[in-house]
Amino acid sequence: MLLEELKNYKIYLASKSPRRRELLSGMGIGYELLVTGVEESYDPSLSPSEVVQYLSRLKLSTLDLSKYSDNTIFIACDTIVVIDGDIIGKPKDDTEAMDMLRRLSGHTHKVLSGLTVATPARMLTDYKSTDVVFADLSESEMRHYVDFYRPMDKAGAYGVQEWIGYVGIKSITGSFYNVMGLPTRLLWEMLEKIIK
C-alpha cells in the first residue's frame, strides 16, 4: 500500500495553510513543513487552471531540489475561487470579504486547486475543479461570518469547513476536500505515480 511505501520518503509540504496540514495528516501521511515564501503573482493572460498549476510550481521554484536526497517528496498546492471567469483571491480586509461573499451569494462558482508533487528527479503538476452553489445569504449572515471567523486567509473569503459552509452552501459537485484546499484523491494518485 502507498502509505507503507511513503515511509521510505522524507515528505515536505510547502504550505502555510492549516487546512492543508490537517488534510495531509488525515490521509495518514507524515510530513514536515517547508514554507518557501514566494511572491504569488502570475500572468493575467493565463486561464484559471493554468494559474493554479503555475502557482503550485512557483512555491517550489526557490528550492534547489537537487540538493535533497533521492527519497524526498515535495508537495505544493494553490487554491483559487473563480466566478464569471474572474479569479477571486484572499480578501485584504472586512470590506473586501463582504464584497466577495455578496458576489458568491446565490450563485455557482468554481474552486480550483493546482497541485505539484516533486522529487529531485521528477515534477508532476495537475489541478482539480469543483463547482460550489451558494444559497442567497443575508447581510447579517455574511457579517456574522466575517466578524466571527475572520476569513482573510481564505480564497473567496470563506472556508467550506466553517459555519458559512454549514448554512450557506447548497451543493458541491466534485471534491469537498478540494474546496477545503487540497484535492486529496488527486494527491494520492500523484504520489503513486511519482514513486513508480
Side-chain angles (χ1 to χ4, degrees), residues 9 65 69-70 72-74 117-124 194-195:
Y9 290 83
L65 302 187
S69 67
D70 290 344
T72 306
I73 296 173
F74 304 88
V117 177
T119 66
R122 287 178 76 194
M123 183 176 287
L124 303 175
I194 206 148
I195 64 173

Side-chain angles (χ1 to χ4, degrees), residues 34-192:
L34 187 69
V35 180
T36 55
V38 294
E39 175 72 28
E40 292 187 17
S41 59
Y42 55 87
D43 181 338
S45 71
L46 295 175
S47 70
S49 62
E50 291 170 329
V51 167
V52 288
Q53 292 180 84
Y54 169 77
L55 290 175
S56 72
R57 285 190 303 272
L58 186 67
K59 290 180 179 180
L60 297 179
S61 66
T62 60
L63 301 174
D64 182 354
L65 302 187
S66 67
K67 290 187 175 177
Y68 291 84
S69 67
D70 290 344
N71 64 333
T72 306
I73 296 173
F74 304 88
I75 300 167
C77 187
D78 193 80
T79 301
I80 59 171
V81 168
V82 180
I83 186 163
D84 300 327
D86 296 332
I87 294 174
I88 309 295
K90 297 173 185 174
K92 296 181 187 75
D93 54 32
D94 287 16
T95 301
E96 198 167 64
M98 287 292 290
D99 288 344
M100 288 179 181
L101 292 175
R102 284 186 197 104
R103 190 160 181 201
L104 299 178
S105 175
H107 295 94
T108 300
H109 64 272
K110 292 187 178 299
V111 177
L112 284 79
S113 291
L115 187 59
T116 295
V117 177
T119 66
R122 287 178 76 194
M123 183 176 287
L124 303 175
T125 301
D126 205 343
Y127 80 100
K128 187 60 69 179
S129 178
T130 303
D131 289 342
V132 180
V133 180
F134 260 56
D136 286 310
L137 300 170
S138 69
E139 282 291 309
S140 60
E141 287 169 337
M142 291 183 283
R143 174 52 60 196
H144 170 82
Y145 178 67
V146 171
D147 287 348
F148 287 93
Y149 292 87
R150 314 298 305 153
M152 305 312 154
D153 65 333
K154 297 175 179 71
Y158 80 94
V160 66
Q161 73 284 358
E162 295 177 339
W163 180 83
I164 203 162
Y166 302 151
V167 305
I169 291 178
K170 290 175 77 170
S171 67
I172 294 174
T173 305
S175 168
F176 171 86
Y177 298 110
N178 184 42
V179 182
M180 205 168 152
L182 184 68
T184 52
R185 178 61 203 175
L186 178 61
L187 174 59
W188 190 260
E189 292 168 356
M190 292 173 73
L191 287 168
E192 287 180 325

